[in-house]
């Protein structure tokens, strides 16, 4: 199920923060990843869509396998349905919110969607480092938007000296602390962040990789602009592999206490006696969490393999924390009840949502699906 779902990333930020610049960077850096773009102009003339696509229309091809739509909020489900059709063959969908939009409402709509082919991919809030104080003065809702973000891109850092950057980061940190958020904050110039921070790059498709083909414009552009497409890493990627099953309770405790700056977790977990027939795919972004159980393949090596992505995280501490989740022998085998915490985050066949997400207004301690912190 997880392999078929398309992550939907919401890209938000006030006017002039650099959302479209960041989006264009992602499109130029696609390198085989098929990106669906939805530019949400809430009924206004699609200026941003024109900037991205170079033309106006309900759906346009960007010439590199990506698609762009200019949509009103009321059309969100309709275009998600179009973009998730198998014929579109998209790997990720990015929704660029209007500069005056409420990103919380877009996130709610994605999470409430009955489209089983999508999964929430996170809220990315773009901040203009040079205009941060002025933006907060003009838009009092700035702090609330930062508090619900999963990833904050501090853009235009080249326009602010070191002391200024430190002051802005400290102010953002105070906002996140008051909101109880551990969102990652990464700096950027001209919106250049590594796409791997937001979504997985797709490998070049088989039919292209096994045949001699003419270089496309995308290939030539990428060859010429590799310094733009591959900025210096501002985040850490931590790999963890364990051949012993993980204890479900201890893993949930680890996820509950995720450190500040840890943005994404992906991979597979073996819970051993907790569920000997299935392995569990993990998809976590910000405060959002899903487990997807699937039968072990015949002869498949039973391992837990995770990748953790964030900014300013302690890789060794993360590996140590995960290693402490490993079961140490038959005396440490989990019982049936130990899986209850995990099963709360498994989508249910009837509703498409985990049991723990049905009451949007409920607030639970620990790791929470994204709707819950919202009033």
């Amino acid at each position: 199920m997880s392999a078929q779902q398309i992550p939907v990333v919401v890209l938000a930020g006030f006017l002039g923060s650099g959302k479209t610049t960041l989006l264009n960077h992602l499109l130029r850096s696609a390198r085989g990843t098929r990106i669906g773009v939805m530019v949400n102009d809430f009924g206004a003339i699609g200026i941003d869509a024109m900037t991205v696509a170079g033309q106006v229309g309900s759906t346009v091809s960007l010439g590199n396998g990506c698609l762009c739509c200019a949509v009103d909020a009321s059309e969100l489900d309709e275009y998600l349905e179009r973009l998730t059709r198998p014929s579109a063959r998209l790997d990720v969908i990015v929704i660029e919110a209007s500069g005056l939009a409420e990103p919380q409402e877009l996130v709610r709509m994605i999470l409430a969607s009955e489209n089983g082919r999508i999964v929430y991919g996170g809220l990315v809030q773009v901040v203009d480092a040079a205009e941060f104080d002025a933006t907060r003065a003009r838009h009092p809702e700035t702090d609330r938007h930062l508090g619900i973000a999963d990833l904050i891109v501090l853009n235009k850092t080249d326009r602010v000296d070191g002391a200024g950057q430190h002051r802005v980061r400290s102010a953002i940190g105070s906002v996140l602390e008051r909101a109880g958020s551990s969102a990652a904050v990464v700096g950027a110039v001209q919106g250049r962040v590594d796409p791997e921070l937001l979504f997985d790059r797709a490998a070049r498709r088989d039919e292209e990789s096994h045949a001699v083909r003419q270089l496309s414009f995308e290939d030539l552009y990428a060859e010429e602009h590799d310094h733009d497409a591959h900025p210096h890493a501002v985040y850490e990627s931590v790999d963890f592999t364990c051949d012993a099953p993980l204890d479900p309770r201890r893993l949930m405790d680890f996820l509950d206490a995720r450190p500040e700056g840890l943005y994404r977790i992906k991979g597979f977990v073996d819970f051993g006696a907790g569920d000997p027939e299935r392995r569990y795919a993990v998809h976590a972004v910000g405060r959002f969490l899903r487990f997807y159980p699937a039968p072990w393949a015949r002869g498949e090596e039973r391992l837990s393999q995770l990748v953790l992505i964030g900014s300013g995280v302690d890789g060794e501490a993360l590996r140590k924390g995960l290693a402490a989740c490993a079961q140490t022998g038959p005396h440490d085998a989990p019982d049936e009840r130990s899986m209850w915490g995990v099963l709360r985050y498994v989508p249910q066949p009837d509703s498409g949502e985990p049991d723990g997400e049905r009451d949007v207004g409920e607030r639970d301690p620990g790791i929470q699906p994204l709707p819950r912190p919202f009033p």
Side-chain angles (χ1 to χ4, degrees), residues 43 58 79 82 168 204-205 251 256 266 282 292 309 313 375:
S58 57
Y79 278 90
R82 293 188 190 183
V168 172
R204 183 66 69 179
R205 299 188 179 279
L251 179 64
D256 246 358
K266 56 185 179 177
V282 182
Y292 298 98
I309 300 172
V313 296

Side-chain angles (χ1 to χ4, degrees), residues 66-367:
C66 302
L67 299 173
C68 181
C69 308
V71 302
D72 187 85
S74 63
E75 303 172 311
L76 191 65
D77 265 336
E78 175 188 346
Y79 278 90
L80 282 175
E81 181 65 29
R82 293 188 190 183
L83 292 178
T84 55
R85 290 173 183 167
S87 58
R89 299 165 62 227
L90 294 180
D91 300 301
V92 63
I93 295 171
V94 179
I95 301 177
E96 181 187 350
S98 160
L100 299 177
E102 277 294 333
Q104 171 178 327
E105 295 309 313
L106 285 177
V107 173
R108 282 187 185 276
M109 292 173 74
I110 293 167
L111 290 169
S113 173
E114 296 182 358
N115 188 329
R117 295 187 293 271
I118 65 169
V119 63
Y120 177 64
L123 170 60
V124 179
Q125 187 77 19
V126 184
V127 174
D128 184 336
E131 299 293 329
F132 181 69
D133 293 331
T135 299
R136 289 180 87 190
R138 288 195 306 270
H139 302 286
E141 64 271 32
T142 296
D143 288 6
R144 178 164 49 82
H145 291 184
L146 291 173
I148 63 174
D150 299 299
L151 174 69
I152 297 168
V153 176
L154 187 59
N155 196 28
K156 306 184 185 181
T157 54
D158 55 325
R159 296 176 53 195
V160 182
D161 60 20
Q165 286 190 45
H166 178 74
R167 183 182 58 77
V168 172
R169 283 180 176 270
S170 295
I172 292 174
S174 296
V175 172
L176 297 180
E177 184 177 1
R178 289 195 299 272
S181 170
S182 58
V185 181
V186 298
V189 175
Q190 296 181 359
R192 292 197 297 267
V193 296
D194 195 314
E196 292 280 359
L197 186 55
L198 277 66
F199 51 79
D200 298 333
R201 290 179 190 264
R204 183 66 69 179
R205 299 188 179 279
D206 290 343
E207 64 265 31
E208 295 178 339
S209 60
H210 295 299
V212 176
R213 63 185 182 90
Q214 184 177 355
L215 284 176
S216 67
F217 173 79
E218 180 189 357
D219 297 322
L220 296 173
Y221 186 96
E223 289 289 335
E224 185 176 347
H225 294 270
D226 262 356
H227 62 285
D228 285 340
H230 301 282
H232 294 295
V234 291
Y235 67 93
E236 290 77 36
S237 179
V238 179
D239 297 327
F240 173 79
T241 301
C242 183
D243 57 7
L246 301 188
D247 179 85
R249 285 197 179 104
R250 292 199 290 270
L251 179 64
M252 293 306 297
D253 287 343
F254 171 87
L255 294 173
D256 246 358
R258 284 184 290 179
E260 180 180 345
L262 181 56
Y263 174 57
R264 295 179 63 205
I265 303 174
K266 56 185 179 177
F268 299 91
V269 176
D270 173 18
F271 287 119
D275 190 343
E277 303 300 323
R278 301 184 293 180
R279 70 172 187 174
Y280 283 70
V282 182
H283 170 77
V285 55
R287 293 165 289 177
F288 180 86
L289 175 67
R290 286 285 195 280
F291 286 101
Y292 298 98
W296 289 99
R298 184 183 299 273
E300 181 179 2
E301 187 177 9
R302 301 206 171 193
L303 297 172
S304 293
Q305 296 179 299
L306 295 170
V307 177
L308 301 90
I309 300 172
S311 176
V313 296
D314 184 338
E316 286 308 309
L318 290 174
R319 290 190 183 94
K320 183 177 179 181
L322 284 170
C325 298
Q327 299 171 32
T328 57
H331 64 283
D332 194 29
D335 57 32
E336 183 182 72
R337 290 179 298 174
S338 67
M339 288 293 294
W340 288 356
V342 172
L343 295 177
R344 290 184 62 247
Y345 298 95
V346 173
Q348 302 301 305
D350 320 2
S351 65
E353 291 296 331
D355 283 339
E357 289 195 35
R358 292 178 181 173
D359 184 357
V360 172
E362 182 185 354
R363 300 173 75 99
D364 275 359
I367 190 168

